[in-house]
Amino acid sequence: MTTTSRRQLLATTGLLTLGSALPVGCSRLAGDATLGAGKPNLFIGTGGHGHTFPGASLPFGMAQLSPDTNTHGWDACSGYHQKDGSIMGFSHTHLSGTGIGDMLDILVVPTRQELKLQPGSTDNPDEGYRQRYSDEHAEPGYYRVKLESGVLAELTVTERCGLHRYRFGQGPGHILIDFAHAIEDDWDKGIVVENASLDLGEDGTLTGSRQVNRWAKGRHIHFAMQMSRRPDRVQFFGDDGKPAPDGATSIKGNKLKVAFFFDDAGGPPILIKTGLSAVDVKGARDALAQEVPAWDFDGAVKAARGSWAKALDGFRVAGGTEDQRIILASALYHAQLAPTLFTDRDGRYVGLDRAVHHAPKGEEAFSTYSLWDTYRALHPLLTLIDPDRAALLTRDICRQTAQSPAGPLVWPLQGVETACMIGWHGVSVLAEAHAKGIAADYAAAWPAIRRRAFDRDYKDIDSTLGRGFYYDLGYIPCDEVWESVSRTQEYAYDDWAMAHLADAVGAKEDAAALRERSRNYRNVIDARTGFARPRFKDGSWWKDYDPIQIGHDTGKWRDYTEANGWQATFLNQHDVYGLIDHFGGDAAFEKQLDALFNGPSTLPDNAPPDISGLVGQYAHGNEPNHHVAYLYAYCGAPAKTQAMVRRLLTEMYRNDPDGVIGNDDCGQMSAWFILSALGFYPVDPVSGVYVFGSPLFDVAEVRVGAGRMLTVRAENNAPDRPYVQSVRWNGKPWSRNWIAHADLIDGGELVFEMGAKPSDFGTAKRDRPPSFGATPS
């Protein structure tokens, strides 16, 4: 075993200030307190292992135009890492916070240096077209940086287009388009980019298409690009790096590049606008024509700022520290980068069956559904702060579920079901949406969902392996299927979600069977030892069990998904009282939770880097534990939830590039902070209720719908006063330690009275949160 690193240990309490929290909009409270929306720090998460990017995007936009600093290694997943020190160029598509890299389409390299076709390395940027940089600035919808060759680069976006503005010094310069640029890692096999083409039209429009076989294998991207100034010379380069014949206006291959040369690049800035489509070049041309018909870069910046002001100004707070307000604003920003728009202007999109579909009028299709992560908090957050967006996504998931050969969504990216992670948690998002009254065609999605639920002949994908064992044995054996313990637990949660959907469409017998089967999680919880434990096909348990380990074979085999036995033991969201009974009652359950948080923070040598942010063996840097601090509320010890949630809020998030303790995972880490800072969290999203924690800010105002505001007040709040003494809802005493979404979405005032010592608030069994449809008797 090894001692954990800083990424694994509890983050320090020191907070670093990188910028002031300038208000986007503010109002006055009683006294001198100001209620406002802080200014996001887009560099939070760009260091450490946060895997975010600082470039220009719109809320949930298709075009995400950002600098790339690397394409190799785990910390290059978003294309950018604060430590790399040099910029390769600016590409148009990115992933925010993921643990696998892809995208980085259409790299633009503006420079006054000599032409080089390879980027070079971070260790020696001078060997390639990389450039060191300074004066970097990022804000929602706009990015600016000064490159060492003397080019001032500015970026902004519309929904489907990236806009560049480059100011060159006097003298020659060129702009290289590297169409071979992509994430490439040691484990990639075969050709990553193929079937590429570039064509320069008589009107000066450069168009291109390529196929990328990286994470989303076989995805396609098409673009149309225009420049505000005609170059003096254009040169295409093929796969071998040799120039195409002079005068060539098109080229095909795999590793294509084209350079636009300007004898004097100084004077008026050179502007570039690039339209994107996953369908065809026509879609990209339409985006250009309709979204950026003119060369108004400043107008596009203004529009992007306006979009983000609306998205961020629906959440205002007072109290906390300046850094905490910046962290909150940054989390709100990161929580609205994905899912990403995937329809062309005419409504066309590539479905998961690889066919082209048309979204109905007024609807959109989306990509970048990181559902194993985001079903837990990101989607619940959207149902609260942006119910219209949540409804749009719900209807899209219903349609794409019906279209996908794999049925329920897992991790769709750019028209490809990656089947990444385990389970099929698109059903959770749908079940939660239905429970919260969001209208959608759930019946259209149900046949595909039912096949995944019951049809053992339905072809499995990586995320659904072992269903036959799950049906027959009630668990997945560790000697047959990779990550068997976590699969059993997460398939059980998907059963719970599918049971709700079955009820919704009138399939009552299916609902009853799924509800009963959702208790299969107990079959991998050894009541004698009190741990989630690997179990073999013959029914026996792993004899030499060690909860620190991630597999019964301490080599490369894993019995858990990005977790170990300690963390997986509490991977139950829907039947907490059943789990408590399995442990032997409240006292035994509380004792085991205490042991989780107070144990030694050690991990085996083969632990994945995702297991980070340890408090004892609790891992805040990864999703399976995100609900666990709230489980104390179910066994009559809510004060321990309050103390731990406040600790995690203040110590796991910092105003710093290394300010996210794990991957941000398309906004899930950020969403946990936002909801927990409000004072509540969805332990079981499908239940439609939130469990109380410890509000971070003195006052928070949240727009929860048209004309409706939710105000959360924490009276007598302070860093040393994390404990809830009492609660009032709309002026009336509230004894329950939870509240329903149906209450919050109507708006109102939720008031927490805080104190320095634990109270008996919420400890009575009748006031504990419901689970599996009931509260303890």
Side-chain angles (χ1 to χ4, degrees):
M1 296 182 184
T2 58
T3 303
T4 54
S5 67
R6 194 213 77 83
R7 300 303 304 167
Q8 297 163 337
L9 289 169
L10 183 63
T12 61
T13 57
L15 296 172
L16 303 178
T17 302
L18 294 187
S20 60
L22 298 176
V24 174
C26 60
S27 57
R28 304 298 294 182
L29 295 175
D32 295 325
T34 299
L35 189 68
K39 181 180 179 181
N41 175 6
L42 273 57
F43 292 101
I44 289 178
T46 61
H49 302 308
H51 294 181
T52 63
F53 62 87
S57 178
L58 290 185
F60 309 99
M62 178 186 295
Q64 296 182 326
L65 181 55
S66 188
D68 293 345
T69 63
N70 208 353
T71 58
H72 195 90
W74 194 51
D75 283 330
C77 287
S78 75
Y80 182 97
H81 198 276
Q82 178 258 349
K83 72 178 182 182
D84 288 333
S86 59
I87 286 174
M88 306 165 80
F90 308 97
S91 67
H92 291 75
T93 60
H94 290 81
L95 294 172
S96 180
T98 59
I100 302 179
D102 204 323
M103 311 301 283
L104 311 189
D105 296 301
I106 318 152
L107 185 76
V108 177
V109 185
T111 183
R112 299 176 67 229
Q113 298 172 344
E114 65 177 308
L115 176 67
K116 296 179 181 179
L117 298 180
Q118 300 301 324
S121 67
T122 55
D123 294 335
N124 185 10
D126 296 325
E127 67 186 358
Y129 58 63
R130 287 176 171 275
Q131 299 178 70
R132 298 175 184 85
Y133 60 94
S134 61
D135 300 332
E136 192 176 23
H137 170 84
E139 62 182 84
Y142 175 75
Y143 173 89
R144 181 182 71 242
V145 68
K146 186 175 182 179
L147 303 174
E148 68 175 331
S149 69
V151 179
L152 179 65
E154 298 175 275
L155 310 175
T156 192
V157 290
T158 63
E159 284 191 320
R160 300 169 181 84
C161 299
L163 288 82
H164 314 234
R165 182 163 65 188
Y166 299 123
R167 300 182 190 272
F168 286 76
Q170 296 298 319
H174 70 269
I175 295 173
L176 174 69
I177 311 300
D178 187 344
F179 205 35
H181 180 78
I183 290 280
E184 293 188 76
D185 224 328
D186 295 337
W187 51 268
D188 285 314
K189 296 179 180 180
I191 299 172
V192 173
V193 176
E194 64 179 338
N195 299 325
S197 63
L198 291 171
D199 183 85
L200 184 62
E202 292 183 0
D203 65 349
T205 301
L206 178 70
T207 57
S209 303
R210 72 175 188 172
Q211 178 178 318
V212 184
N213 307 310
R214 218 269 127 196
W215 179 19
K217 289 180 171 52
R219 70 176 182 88
H220 290 85
I221 186 73
H222 311 271
F223 77 91
M225 176 185 292
Q226 295 175 350
M227 294 187 183
S228 62
R229 289 168 57 184
R230 279 191 174 270
D232 295 290
R233 183 166 62 91
V234 179
Q235 184 69 66
F236 289 88
F237 297 88
D239 290 355
D240 56 4
K242 295 180 179 179
D246 289 345
T249 59
S250 64
I251 194 168
K252 293 183 178 180
N254 297 338
K255 297 182 178 181
L256 306 183
K257 300 175 176 66
V258 58
F260 296 85
F261 296 92
F262 299 85
D263 293 340
D264 186 357
I270 299 174
L271 280 69
I272 298 176
K273 51 186 180 181
T274 308
L276 304 177
S277 170
V279 178
D280 55 23
V281 167
K282 177 186 179 299
R285 286 183 177 273
D286 289 346
L288 268 187
Q290 297 178 52
E291 293 187 6
V292 282
W295 292 102
D296 186 6
F297 183 90
D298 290 329
V301 172
K302 182 179 179 181
R305 285 171 173 160
S307 295
W308 277 111
K310 181 179 179 182
L312 300 175
D313 200 37
F315 204 121
R316 301 162 179 256
V317 298
T321 66
E322 182 180 31
D323 277 331
Q324 287 167 346
R325 294 190 293 274
I326 293 172
I327 292 167
L328 176 68
S330 307
L332 280 166
Y333 173 82
H334 285 130
Q336 297 180 80
L337 290 178
T340 53
L341 181 67
F342 198 53
T343 39
D344 284 353
R345 295 284 303 186
D346 59 6
R348 293 180 302 158
Y349 67 96
V350 178
L352 296 173
D353 55 1
R354 307 295 179 100
V356 176
H357 298 268
H358 279 81
K361 186 177 181 180
E363 300 293 309
E364 301 281 7
F366 291 84
S367 172
T368 323
Y369 282 108
S370 181
L371 294 165
W372 182 85
D373 308 288
T374 57
Y375 86 87
R376 306 168 197 268
L378 187 279
H379 286 278
L381 173 68
L382 294 179
T383 65
L384 187 65
I385 69 170
D386 195 350
D388 291 340
R389 174 73 57 180
L392 187 66
L393 295 174
T394 300
R395 297 191 295 270
D396 177 50
I397 293 173
C398 283
R399 286 190 299 272
Q400 294 209 50
T401 297
Q403 294 163 0
S404 174
L409 303 192
V410 179
W411 216 124
L413 177 61
Q414 298 287 295
V416 178
E417 177 54 84
T418 68
C420 189
M421 308 309 294
I422 59 172
W424 44 97
H425 294 314
V427 296
S428 173
V429 177
L430 294 182
E432 177 201 10
H434 183 271
K436 292 179 176 179
I438 292 175
D441 192 355
Y442 300 99
W446 173 247
I449 293 171
R450 190 184 189 281
R451 288 191 68 192
R452 185 58 74 204
F454 294 110
D455 184 355
R456 66 179 66 237
D457 295 324
Y458 195 16
K459 184 179 179 180
D460 274 319
I461 55 180
D462 287 350
S463 61
T464 72
L465 298 176
R467 286 184 306 125
F469 294 116
Y470 181 79
Y471 297 156
D472 297 337
L473 301 177
Y475 67 95
I476 298 173
C478 66
D479 49 343
E480 294 285 344
V481 182
W482 170 265
E483 300 179 341
S484 62
V485 177
S486 295
R487 285 180 186 272
T488 300
Q489 295 169 302
E490 297 205 32
Y491 292 7
Y493 187 74
D494 286 338
D495 280 345
W496 171 248
M498 291 188 294
H500 182 98
L501 292 170
D503 273 332
V505 301
K508 301 301 180 182
E509 291 184 4
D510 287 345
L514 288 165
R515 198 170 290 112
E516 178 59 31
R517 200 173 72 190
S518 75
R519 285 181 159 153
N520 275 357
Y521 73 88
R522 295 174 297 179
N523 297 327
V524 291
I525 302 290
D526 181 359
R528 184 176 60 85
T529 62
F531 284 103
R533 189 174 176 186
R535 197 170 186 181
F536 294 93
K537 189 177 180 180
D538 64 6
S540 63
W541 301 96
W542 174 25
K543 183 177 63 173
D544 300 320
Y545 179 67
D546 178 358
I548 296 293
Q549 297 295 330
I550 65 171
H552 67 278
D553 178 345
T554 56
K556 294 184 178 181
W557 189 262
R558 296 182 186 178
D559 295 317
Y560 310 97
T561 301
E562 297 183 4
N564 65 10
W566 270 108
Q567 294 135 27
T569 292
F570 300 96
L571 184 58
N572 179 288
Q573 299 170 257
H574 65 288
D575 185 25
V576 181
Y577 296 115
L579 183 64
I580 289 173
D581 289 344
H582 203 60
F583 269 83
D586 289 345
F589 187 73
E590 182 181 350
K591 181 179 179 181
Q592 191 73 333
L593 276 174
D594 289 344
L596 171 76
F597 286 105
N598 295 321
S601 295
T602 56
L603 292 173
D605 292 335
N606 63 341
D610 308 86
I611 304 177
S612 61
L614 294 186
V615 179
Q617 281 293 310
Y618 168 87
H620 190 71
N622 208 30
E623 282 67 26
N625 272 184
H626 272 187
H627 65 287
V628 173
Y630 290 87
L631 294 183
Y632 280 116
Y634 294 79
C635 62
K640 291 184 177 181
T641 286
Q642 295 152 21
M644 183 54 63
V645 167
R646 181 66 70 88
R647 182 180 178 185
L648 297 173
L649 282 167
T650 57
E651 299 182 359
M652 289 292 173
Y653 298 82
R654 299 189 299 163
N655 179 22
D656 185 84
D658 191 10
V660 181
I661 203 68
N663 304 154
D664 194 55
D665 286 317
C666 294
Q668 167 61 25
M669 286 288 290
S670 292
W672 187 96
F673 182 90
I674 296 164
L675 288 167
S676 294
L678 280 174
F680 47 79
Y681 187 82
V683 170
D684 171 16
V686 175
S687 70
V689 305
Y690 305 89
V691 180
F692 289 153
S694 180
L696 182 62
F697 297 100
D698 298 344
V699 184
E701 280 187 357
V702 185
R703 186 171 55 234
V704 294
R708 296 190 294 273
M709 293 296 295
L710 170 66
T711 300
V712 181
R713 298 181 183 274
E715 297 182 346
N716 298 312
N717 194 28
D720 61 348
R721 300 174 69 85
Y723 297 106
V724 177
Q725 308 297 301
S726 64
V727 174
R728 301 191 304 276
W729 172 241
N730 288 334
K732 297 180 179 179
W734 185 270
S735 65
R736 295 183 302 195
N737 196 34
W738 59 278
I739 194 165
H741 178 84
D743 292 316
L744 297 181
I745 198 65
D746 283 338
E749 186 176 63
L750 182 64
V751 180
F752 294 87
E753 178 73 25
M754 308 302 293
K757 296 181 179 180
S759 74
D760 62 358
F761 171 79
T763 57
K765 287 191 173 184
R766 65 179 179 276
D767 293 325
R768 298 179 193 178
S771 189
F772 212 75
T775 53
S777 57

